[in-house]
Amino acid sequence: MLRRIPLFQDLSDEDLVLIEELAVEKQVSKGTVVMVEGTIGDSLFAITSGRVKVFMGDEDGREIILKILGPGDFFGEMSMIDSQPRSASVAALEPSTFKVLSHEAFAQCVERAPRIATMVMQALAKRLRDADRKISTLALMDVYGRVANTLLELAINDNGKLIVGEKLSQQDIANMVGASREMVNRILKDLSERGYITVESKTITIHDEKLPPSF
Ligand code: CMP
């Protein structure tokens, strides 16, 4: 199980046994909030199954989804590194399991396999790149372009078909692009009518990679 998490792939079998002993397994049901923005915590969560959303919210219940993470990904590294409160909240989008490493356990892992530290740095650099892209789309594109861009970013090639693998509600997409659910509904309808996409029980198939940037 641990071997499938890229962060641990360089560890020897012996080290993996040690981590297996150090890591605490956590299982949560859909909807469970695993981390709350602003709270203190210093453990790192590696996802062994399921999917989570990383998000920030306000008092009115509005939220922006920063990222959706799945098996092999990890989160919680930021507070573990800088001892500051959690930068965002994390909630399970489906039943999920994690291997949770405390700060001390993580330090032991790094001692055994220093490349883990480099991999965390690489993951942080990728997150910053993704975040920069998100800032630029939020600032420079209109809602139509943001929805089109998000669909293309989430799309995977499934036997020659470009599909959005994540089963997302229109509200989820709205929370990813900073728009209302009604607006996302209008845009998806427009893209469907123009033949660019097909939406079937939350699975979106993209027929043309050149999605139009506006109505
Ligand atoms: P931490 O701040 O400890 O707790 C919340 C976690 O969410 C954070 O660590 C990261 O692991 C994760 N996170 C925060 N912002 C982003 C982002 N923009 N993209 C992906 N993951 C993020």
Side-chain angles (χ1 to χ4, degrees):
M1 189 68 94
L2 284 175
R3 181 75 69 201
R4 269 188 263 143
I5 297 172
L7 194 59
F8 300 131
Q9 71 194 7
D10 276 5
L11 291 173
S12 66
D13 289 344
E14 196 183 294
D15 290 342
L16 283 179
V17 172
L18 175 85
I19 294 185
E20 193 68 61
E21 281 168 20
L22 293 171
V24 176
E25 183 162 283
K26 189 176 170 78
Q27 286 188 16
V28 300
S29 52
K30 181 178 170 176
T32 305
V33 177
V34 187
M35 263 173 205
V36 179
E37 179 189 348
T39 59
I40 301 296
D42 68 354
S43 44
L44 176 134
F45 287 56
I47 306 174
T48 45
S49 71
R51 269 181 336 144
V52 302
K53 64 175 176 182
V54 179
F55 67 101
M56 298 178 91
D58 67 9
E59 290 111 37
D60 299 331
R62 294 184 309 169
E63 66 175 45
I64 174 104
I65 298 180
L66 301 171
K67 194 81 187 168
I68 291 178
L69 302 173
D73 291 327
F74 59 86
F75 57 92
E77 77 292 346
M78 290 170 64
S79 298
M80 196 183 65
I81 291 168
D82 67 7
S83 304
Q84 294 293 306
R86 296 294 188 194
S87 60
S89 300
V90 179
L93 289 172
E94 50 191 62
S96 303
T97 48
F98 313 107
K99 292 283 184 188
V100 186
L101 281 173
S102 67
H103 188 92
E104 296 74 37
F106 185 75
Q108 280 197 47
C109 296
V110 173
E111 215 170 281
R112 297 262 177 168
R115 222 179 89 74
I116 288 185
T118 310
M119 291 182 75
V120 172
M121 282 196 285
Q122 283 172 348
L124 280 173
K126 181 173 183 308
R127 279 186 187 166
L128 186 56
R129 283 176 194 278
D130 290 350
D132 286 351
R133 233 183 357 256
K134 197 170 179 94
I135 292 169
S136 96
T137 57
L138 284 173
L140 303 176
M141 283 184 176
D142 64 12
V143 189
Y144 203 106
R146 293 188 327 242
V147 170
N149 197 60
T150 299
L151 294 182
L152 286 171
E153 268 190 15
L154 292 170
I156 49 161
N157 195 317
D158 181 34
N159 288 325
K161 263 169 102 183
L162 208 54
I163 62 157
V164 178
E166 322 272 2
K167 288 206 187 302
L168 296 169
S169 67
Q170 291 186 357
Q171 187 62 59
D172 290 332
I173 297 174
N175 291 349
M176 293 176 89
V177 300
S180 66
R181 195 195 61 74
E182 291 74 19
M183 179 57 108
V184 169
N185 178 273
R186 263 182 67 200
I187 293 168
L188 292 179
K189 216 166 143 215
D190 185 70
L191 286 170
S192 297
E193 282 169 7
R194 293 164 78 182
Y196 286 102
I197 63 168
T198 308
V199 186
E200 265 168 348
S201 60
K202 285 197 191 166
T203 299
I204 300 174
T205 306
I206 300 173
H207 303 299
D208 186 341
E209 272 184 61
K210 288 198 183 61
L211 294 181
S214 59
F215 281 107

